[in-house]
Amino acid sequence: MIAQTLPNYDLVNKFQQVRRKLISLNNLSQPGVWVEQQLYPIIAQLWPDEPILPRWLLKTHFEDSSDGHRILPYGNIQVLPADFVILNGLDGLSFYQRNLFRESVIMTCRVQDGKPVASVVLMLDRYDIFHTGIFANPGVHHGPLPIDDWRKPQYLLGDMMIGIDARPVVSHEFRNLVVLKFLQNEGVAYTLPAPPGAGAMGVLGGQFVAYIAYHPSLCDIAATAALCLAAGMIVCHLDGSAIDWRRMQLSFPVVFARNTESFHFIRTQAKEYLEVMQEAHAY
C-alpha cells in the first residue's frame, strides 16, 4: 500500500486563499511564479524527502533551494525520479491574462513509484469547490471529492463536447488531421482551444466526453490525470499506448476519455494522423 498524505486541509486551505488572491490580482506580470512562491513552503513541509518540480519557478540545474529542499529544473531534465511532487502555479496563462478564469487551473500532484497518485486541483472560476483525490491505485478512491465531479455524462456521445488542444504550438499535421478533422465531423460539438488542465477537468466534470492534448508537459496533465484515473476514466496516448510518467515532455498527444467508447471514437477520427506519425517514425 502506498502511503498517502492527501487531502491535507492546510494545503487545500492555502490553495483556496491563493486562488482568491490570484483572481483579485489579475494584472500580475508573472502569476504562475507568484502562485508557486505562495504554495511552495507548505508543499516542501508536507513532503520533505521528495524533490519538487515547479512549472514556473525557473531553475537552471538540479539544485537545493534555500531551505535545503531539492528542486527539479523544469525544461532541463528529461527523465524524472520515481518519487517527486509537481507544482503548477497556473495552467492556462493566456486565458488568465484575458480574465477568462474558466480555463485557468492551479494544481499540485504527488508522483510515487512513477505514477500520479494524489493531487489537488483548483479551477479559477469556482470559488468554494476544490477537487482533491487520494488513492493507492487507479480506480480506487480513498478520499473526499464533490459528487458532481464523479457524475456520468448526461448526454450521448454525439451530443457531447470534445475538447481539443489547438494552441499555436500544435504541429501542421495535428492541426490539419486532428483539429480540422473533428471540426468537419457533423453531429458532434467541439470546443477549442482548451488548455490541458481545464480540458481534463471538463472530462472529469462531465462537460466533455474526451479531451485531446498535444504533446503536453507532465506538469500540465499529471494532477488532473490522477483524478481521472481514480474515477476509472481513460488517460493514455492517442494511439492507445501507456504514458511514461517519468518523462518531462511527452512527444505524442494524450487523450482523456470518459470511457472506451469515447476513446475509440477519438482514435478512429484521428486514424489518418496516426498513420502519418507511424510512417514518420518508421524512418
Side-chain angles (χ1 to χ4, degrees):
M1 178 70 70
I2 298 176
Q4 303 295 335
T5 56
L6 285 179
N8 178 285
Y9 290 102
D10 288 337
L11 179 59
V12 171
N13 288 336
K14 184 65 174 179
F15 256 73
Q16 292 173 321
Q17 294 169 12
V18 169
R19 177 192 173 281
R20 295 177 187 130
K21 188 70 172 178
L22 180 61
I23 293 175
S24 67
L25 299 174
N26 61 352
N27 59 346
L28 286 173
S29 60
Q30 294 183 303
V33 172
W34 181 84
V35 171
E36 290 176 9
Q37 287 173 336
Q38 310 306 307
L39 294 175
Y40 170 84
I42 190 171
I43 290 176
Q45 183 178 10
L46 276 174
W47 298 293
D49 299 324
E50 296 182 6
I52 295 176
L53 173 64
R55 174 63 177 84
W56 298 99
L57 286 174
L58 301 178
K59 297 289 179 178
T60 57
H61 53 83
F62 187 91
E63 61 181 26
D64 291 346
S65 63
S66 58
D67 61 3
H69 208 96
R70 290 190 299 168
I71 299 293
L72 294 169
Y74 181 88
N76 288 354
I77 185 171
Q78 297 301 317
V79 180
L80 296 158
D83 301 332
F84 63 99
V85 179
I86 292 172
L87 175 58
N88 190 341
L90 187 64
D91 181 65
L93 173 62
S94 63
F95 291 88
Y96 167 82
Q97 291 174 332
R98 289 179 286 163
N99 295 331
L100 301 175
F101 299 143
R102 183 181 62 182
E103 304 293 347
S104 304
V105 182
I106 59 176
M107 48 194 168
T108 189
C109 177
R110 189 181 186 193
V111 177
Q112 197 165 13
D113 292 337
K115 298 178 181 178
V117 297
S119 65
V120 174
V121 179
L122 272 177
M123 299 184 71
L124 296 194
D125 70 328
R126 299 188 180 185
Y127 196 79
D128 295 320
I129 298 177
F130 65 87
H131 311 274
T132 178
I134 174 171
F135 37 87
N137 297 295
V140 182
H141 178 237
H142 296 294
L145 202 151
I147 189 65
D148 284 351
D149 291 332
W150 299 94
R151 67 178 183 268
K152 296 181 179 180
Q154 300 174 359
Y155 310 102
L156 298 174
L157 176 61
D159 298 322
M160 287 290 287
M161 298 285 282
I162 294 177
I164 306 177
D165 185 350
R167 295 171 297 166
V169 298
V170 305
S171 69
H172 175 76
E173 291 82 6
F174 185 84
R175 188 171 301 279
N176 286 338
L177 301 179
V178 177
V179 177
L180 295 181
K181 177 77 171 181
F182 278 89
L183 286 174
Q184 294 167 359
N185 187 295
E186 296 183 1
V188 181
Y190 304 94
T191 180
L192 65 150
M201 291 308 291
V203 178
L204 185 69
Q207 291 85 14
F208 301 158
V209 292
Y211 171 76
I212 312 169
Y214 175 81
H215 296 195
S217 161
L218 203 65
C219 286
D220 296 333
I221 65 169
T224 49
L227 296 180
C228 289
L229 289 170
M233 300 178 192
I234 296 172
V235 183
C236 64
H237 286 298
L238 182 57
D239 62 356
S241 60
I243 295 170
D244 183 351
W245 296 106
R246 295 181 61 181
R247 290 285 176 182
M248 170 75 78
Q249 188 69 40
L250 303 180
S251 59
F252 206 72
V254 169
V255 176
F256 291 78
R258 295 287 306 195
N259 48 42
T260 55
E261 179 191 10
S262 54
F263 173 73
H264 287 312
F265 174 79
I266 295 293
R267 188 165 62 176
T268 299
Q269 292 297 308
K271 180 180 178 180
E272 188 176 354
Y273 173 80
L274 292 173
E275 290 174 347
V276 170
M277 292 299 99
Q278 184 178 14
E279 182 178 345
H281 286 90
Y283 294 95

